[in-house]
Amino acid sequence: MSAHLDPRLLRGFVTVAEELHFTRAAVRLHVAQQALSRDVRRLERELGAELFVRTTRQVTLTPDGERLLPYARRVLRAQDELLTAFGQARPLLVDLNSPGLVTPRRVLHEARELAPRHELMARYESGLTGAAGELLAGRLDASFGRFAGLDPALRAGLDHQPVRFEPMAVVLPEDHRLAALESVPLAELAGESVYAGAGNPRTPEWTGLARLLFQGRNIDVAPPAPLAVGDEEFQRIMARTRNPILAVVGFPALPSTVVRPLVDPVPLSPVSLVWRKGLTHPAFDALRRAAARLAAEEGWLRRPTGGWIPAGDDVLMASHD
């Protein structure tokens, strides 16, 4: 076995082990699949061990691969910490959930101003629950969303910083009976079925917030719709169902729709910056500072009189005041 293992080979191995798919791993690493396959074969030669079982249908770890994985992760974590200490940090990967969400995008832009020498990369995957597993596995550094809506087992490995009580809104077809109103009282949605991502495995924290909001108000959460990928497909599905869509103020209107704030009471979506415990990165420090600065300057954590928020969310948001 070679006395000097190239960390690049270990990073390629870890990425394939996490994806169990060479093509997806190559996309994550921004390398050609053939180059990644060569690196894995080279690592296997240097270690004198087969790390993966490859068939035409699947890739699985061998017992030696399983044994190597925790060691490789520790080596890469130490390398990242060393580079961070000397100002050569890797890019910080931040999930903004959706291009239509204003708050995460503003925080990221502010952080880039605070840390111009570091690279902060945006990703748009939608949903804090979907991001949580990626955070815990180290494939993602930070995300935004409703921390209280995560399963407690996920929260145990994560930390959060409250960013905003974001007023909620509803997206309506432009010919809907409520579209002419400047704001929509919650009572006016009685009898409606409102789309809130039901059935989407990435966003149960949002669907759960909607259920709490609608409880006792004769508002139903619309049944699951086909999971649409991309704005065009989402618009097509929503145009066909014609269900109002639960959103936040500032969400861009889709074609032939209007966005109206909800009132009486004003429902609030609690937004936190979320990361895995123990994360260290100079750009992450800038991200936290940016979130705190905007929250203070914009009054994002001031709750409007009569604003609605679930009790459990209120406790978690207050715990970081």
Side-chain angles (χ1 to χ4, degrees), residues 68-143:
L68 174 62
L69 187 56
Y71 292 104
R73 282 177 167 152
R74 286 202 293 271
V75 169
L76 294 175
R77 190 177 305 118
Q79 183 193 36
D80 287 343
E81 290 172 357
L82 184 152
L83 292 174
T84 296
F86 286 88
Q88 300 179 42
R90 59 177 174 76
L92 188 81
L93 186 56
V94 184
D95 191 346
L96 304 188
N97 302 150
S98 166
L101 297 178
V102 173
T103 300
R105 194 169 69 248
R106 287 195 60 190
V107 172
L108 180 63
H109 289 175
E110 178 82 6
R112 285 171 173 163
E113 293 291 325
L114 293 174
R117 294 189 301 108
H118 297 289
E119 185 64 69
L120 291 91
M121 297 291 295
R123 189 183 81 169
Y124 301 95
E125 290 291 331
S126 177
L128 183 57
T129 298
E134 301 287 288
L135 292 170
L136 292 171
R139 295 191 289 268
L140 180 68
D141 294 307
S143 187

Side-chain angles (χ1 to χ4, degrees), residues 235-250:
Q235 291 165 12
R236 184 182 66 82
I237 295 296
M238 290 300 99
R240 192 165 72 180
T241 64
R242 291 186 54 78
N243 290 122
I245 304 167
L246 190 66
V248 292
V249 169

Side-chain angles (χ1 to χ4, degrees), residues 43-57:
L43 180 62
E44 289 177 322
R45 288 196 302 272
E46 293 194 7
L47 293 176
E50 186 179 16
L51 302 175
F52 296 102
V53 177
R54 308 162 179 83
T55 70
T56 55
R57 291 183 176 271

